[in-house]
């Protein structure tokens, strides 16, 4: 297989989270992803780098962007890609997560991409299998490839991450996207703020190196980047907001609240966006400001980079055995 002879600065077997990664490791993943942006814009998007390798997408939670972009990423690198959705798997017949993992492990996959509803579900699985594991989102814990694709989008638009004022707004409490982004952006030297009602903030937020705001106009003042988050109703047990109407009034991004940010501030959203809840429809569609579609494009490049690097690390590990 024709990997670059130089080993990447990211040498881990798995990609389970951003927490604990160094700026060098994050930069290695982003630089590799950057190479794929051009390839993905050509008519022929395919290479043979992962020919003979098997990637299994194992999704215990619904997904549109993450699952399809991992599938495309694997196929564009020439790997065989299998998609398993739990809706029609043996999990429905009572099989445990570990039994499913061991069954898949026996088929000798090279990379498992796992999305699981429980924080730590992906880590548990990674401990049981012989292949590389990528976390496609575990509960409200981490979603590393989302943070990487967000960082790539920002870096391409602004040329850097360091020093940028970035506001992450909305349901921070239930968001793995927020957690991974906070770890990545703080590590890379950005100045991160979170803007949310008290009920939608984790009690440990103060330890994450961010400034906390409860008012959108205060939080968005002079920001370079605004990341909006969906209300993760599927993870809520109880009422966290008085009503959708009131939430939109105080925390929904509209032109009025946006007016205090830098005039060229970029608007981001990991999707799926709920129009009229956390973001005004016209703002989401304002492509002079919104880079939501670019985030999706960068997602494929980032996932190709992660597959490439983990496959290379696995090959080196196998060769040294
Ligand atoms: C996010 C997720 O699944 O955590 N979506 C995504 O991966 N693009 C955010 C969300 O579901 O709101």
């Amino acid at each position: 297989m024709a990997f670059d002879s130089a080993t990447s600065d990211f040498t881990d077997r798995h990609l389970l989270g951003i927490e604990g990664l160094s700026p060098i490791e994050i930069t290695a993943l982003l630089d590799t992803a950057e190479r794929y942006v051009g390839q993905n814009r050509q008519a022929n998007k395919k290479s043979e780098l992962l020919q003979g390798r098997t990637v299994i997408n194992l999704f215990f939670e619904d997904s549109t962007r993450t699952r399809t972009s991992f599938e495309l990423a694997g196929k564009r690198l020439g790997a065989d890609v299998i998609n398993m959705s739990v809706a029609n798997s043996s999990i429905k017949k009572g099989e445990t997560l570990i039994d499913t993992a061991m069954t898949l492990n026996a088929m000798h996959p090279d990379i498992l991409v796992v999305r699981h509803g429980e924080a730590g579900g992906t880590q548990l699985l990674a401990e049981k299998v012989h292949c590389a594991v990528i976390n496609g989102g575990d509960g409200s814990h981490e979603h590393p490839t989302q943070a990487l694709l967000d960082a790539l989008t920002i870096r391409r638009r602004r040329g850097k991450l360091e020093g940028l004022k970035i506001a992450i707004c909305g349901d921070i409490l239930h968001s793995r996207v927020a957690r991974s982004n906070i770890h990545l952006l703080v590590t890379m030297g950005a100045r991160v703020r979170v803007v949310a009602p008290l009920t939608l903030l984790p009690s440990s937020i103060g330890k994450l190196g961010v400034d906390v705001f409860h008012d959108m106009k205060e939080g968005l003042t002079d920001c370079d980047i605004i990341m909006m988050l969906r209300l993760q109703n599927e993870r809520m047990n109880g009422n966290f907001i008085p009503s959708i109407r009131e939430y939109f009034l105080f925390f929904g991004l509209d032109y009025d609240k946006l007016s205090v940010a830098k005039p060229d501030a970029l608007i981001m959203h990991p999707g799926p966006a709920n129009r009229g809840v956390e973001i005004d429809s016209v703002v989401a569609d304002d492509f002079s400001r919104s880079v939501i579609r670019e985030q999706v494009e960068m997602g494929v490049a980032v996932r190709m980079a992660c597959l490439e690097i983990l496959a290379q690390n696995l090959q080196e590990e196998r060769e040294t055995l």
Side-chain angles (χ1 to χ4, degrees), residues 65-66 115 143 146 176-177 230 232 234-235 270-272:
R65 293 156 193 77
T66 308
R115 172 169 283 194
H143 191 353
Q146 181 69 43
R176 52 196 175 204
V177 175
R230 185 175 65 88
Q232 322 256 298
E234 71 276 22
R235 295 190 216 294

Short mmCIF file of all heavy atoms in Angstrom, two decimals, residues 65-66 115 143 146 176-177 230 232 234-235 270-272, ligand 1:
data_model
loop_
_atom_site.label_atom_id
_atom_site.label_comp_id
_atom_site.label_asym_id
_atom_site.label_seq_id
_atom_site.Cartn_x
_atom_site.Cartn_y
_atom_site.Cartn_z
N ARG A 65 -25.28 13.04 8.08
CA ARG A 65 -23.99 13.56 7.60
C ARG A 65 -22.82 12.65 7.96
O ARG A 65 -21.98 12.33 7.13
CB ARG A 65 -23.72 14.94 8.20
CG ARG A 65 -24.65 15.99 7.71
CD ARG A 65 -24.75 17.13 8.70
NE ARG A 65 -25.87 17.99 8.37
CZ ARG A 65 -27.13 17.68 8.63
NH1 ARG A 65 -27.45 16.56 9.22
NH2 ARG A 65 -28.11 18.48 8.27
N THR A 66 -22.75 12.28 9.24
CA THR A 66 -21.56 11.55 9.70
C THR A 66 -21.46 10.19 9.01
O THR A 66 -20.41 9.82 8.50
CB THR A 66 -21.62 11.40 11.23
OG1 THR A 66 -21.83 12.69 11.80
CG2 THR A 66 -20.33 10.82 11.79
N ARG A 115 -20.91 5.00 16.37
CA ARG A 115 -21.72 6.02 17.05
C ARG A 115 -22.57 5.31 18.08
O ARG A 115 -23.26 4.33 17.75
CB ARG A 115 -22.59 6.78 16.06
CG ARG A 115 -23.58 7.70 16.76
CD ARG A 115 -24.26 8.65 15.81
NE ARG A 115 -23.38 9.75 15.46
CZ ARG A 115 -23.80 10.87 14.86
NH1 ARG A 115 -25.07 11.02 14.54
NH2 ARG A 115 -22.94 11.83 14.58
N HIS A 143 -17.31 14.07 19.85
CA HIS A 143 -17.58 13.84 18.42
C HIS A 143 -16.36 14.42 17.68
O HIS A 143 -16.43 15.49 17.07
CB HIS A 143 -18.87 14.57 18.04
CG HIS A 143 -19.41 14.24 16.69
ND1 HIS A 143 -18.75 13.46 15.77
CD2 HIS A 143 -20.58 14.61 16.09
CE1 HIS A 143 -19.50 13.36 14.68
NE2 HIS A 143 -20.60 14.05 14.85
N GLN A 146 -16.27 15.81 14.03
CA GLN A 146 -17.03 17.05 13.85
C GLN A 146 -16.16 18.25 14.22
O GLN A 146 -16.12 19.25 13.50
CB GLN A 146 -18.30 17.03 14.69
CG GLN A 146 -19.15 18.29 14.54
CD GLN A 146 -19.80 18.44 13.18
OE1 GLN A 146 -20.32 17.47 12.64
NE2 GLN A 146 -19.79 19.64 12.60
N ARG A 176 -22.09 16.78 22.34
CA ARG A 176 -20.73 16.23 22.14
C ARG A 176 -19.95 17.11 21.17
O ARG A 176 -18.74 17.16 21.20
CB ARG A 176 -20.84 14.80 21.62
CG ARG A 176 -21.74 14.65 20.39
CD ARG A 176 -22.11 13.21 20.18
NE ARG A 176 -23.07 13.01 19.10
CZ ARG A 176 -23.87 11.97 19.01
NH1 ARG A 176 -23.87 11.05 19.96
NH2 ARG A 176 -24.68 11.83 17.99
N VAL A 177 -20.70 17.80 20.27
CA VAL A 177 -20.03 18.70 19.32
C VAL A 177 -19.38 19.85 20.10
O VAL A 177 -18.23 20.22 19.84
CB VAL A 177 -21.06 19.26 18.30
CG1 VAL A 177 -20.41 20.30 17.39
CG2 VAL A 177 -21.68 18.13 17.49
N ARG A 230 -28.06 22.56 18.09
CA ARG A 230 -29.45 22.09 18.17
C ARG A 230 -29.80 21.79 19.63
O ARG A 230 -28.94 21.36 20.40
CB ARG A 230 -29.56 20.81 17.33
CG ARG A 230 -30.90 20.21 17.17
CD ARG A 230 -30.79 19.03 16.21
NE ARG A 230 -29.97 17.95 16.76
CZ ARG A 230 -30.43 16.96 17.53
NH1 ARG A 230 -31.71 16.91 17.84
NH2 ARG A 230 -29.62 16.03 17.97
N GLN A 232 -30.82 19.26 21.95
CA GLN A 232 -30.75 17.79 21.82
C GLN A 232 -31.87 17.14 22.65
O GLN A 232 -31.60 16.53 23.68
CB GLN A 232 -29.40 17.30 22.29
CG GLN A 232 -28.23 18.20 21.93
CD GLN A 232 -27.40 17.70 20.78
OE1 GLN A 232 -26.81 16.63 20.88
NE2 GLN A 232 -27.36 18.45 19.70
N GLU A 234 -33.53 14.57 22.40
CA GLU A 234 -33.45 13.13 22.64
C GLU A 234 -32.64 12.79 23.88
O GLU A 234 -32.71 11.67 24.38
CB GLU A 234 -32.92 12.40 21.40
CG GLU A 234 -31.44 12.61 21.06
CD GLU A 234 -31.14 13.87 20.25
OE1 GLU A 234 -31.95 14.82 20.28
OE2 GLU A 234 -30.07 13.93 19.60
N ARG A 235 -31.83 13.74 24.36
CA ARG A 235 -31.04 13.48 25.57
C ARG A 235 -31.62 14.18 26.82
O ARG A 235 -31.02 14.16 27.88
CB ARG A 235 -29.60 13.98 25.39
CG ARG A 235 -28.86 13.24 24.34
CD ARG A 235 -27.38 13.57 24.32
NE ARG A 235 -26.91 13.59 22.96
CZ ARG A 235 -26.85 12.52 22.18
NH1 ARG A 235 -27.23 11.35 22.62
NH2 ARG A 235 -26.44 12.64 20.93
N PRO A 270 -23.48 22.33 13.14
CA PRO A 270 -23.10 20.97 12.74
C PRO A 270 -24.20 20.25 11.97
O PRO A 270 -23.94 19.23 11.31
CB PRO A 270 -22.84 20.27 14.08
CG PRO A 270 -23.67 21.03 15.07
CD PRO A 270 -23.68 22.45 14.59
N GLY A 271 -25.45 20.77 12.05
CA GLY A 271 -26.58 20.09 11.47
C GLY A 271 -26.95 18.88 12.33
O GLY A 271 -26.09 18.36 13.05
N PRO A 272 -28.17 18.43 12.31
CA PRO A 272 -29.29 19.05 11.59
C PRO A 272 -29.77 20.30 12.31
O PRO A 272 -29.88 20.30 13.53
CB PRO A 272 -30.37 17.95 11.62
CG PRO A 272 -30.01 17.09 12.80
CD PRO A 272 -28.54 17.19 13.00
C1 LIG B 1 -24.36 16.33 15.64
C2 LIG B 1 -24.34 15.04 16.47
O1 LIG B 1 -24.81 14.00 16.02
O2 LIG B 1 -23.84 15.14 17.58
N1 LIG B 1 -24.64 16.15 14.30
C3 LIG B 1 -23.69 15.73 13.42
O3 LIG B 1 -22.94 14.81 13.65
N2 LIG B 1 -23.59 16.44 12.27
C4 LIG B 1 -25.19 17.38 16.27
C5 LIG B 1 -26.65 17.13 16.44
O4 LIG B 1 -27.16 16.04 16.28
O5 LIG B 1 -27.33 18.12 16.77
#
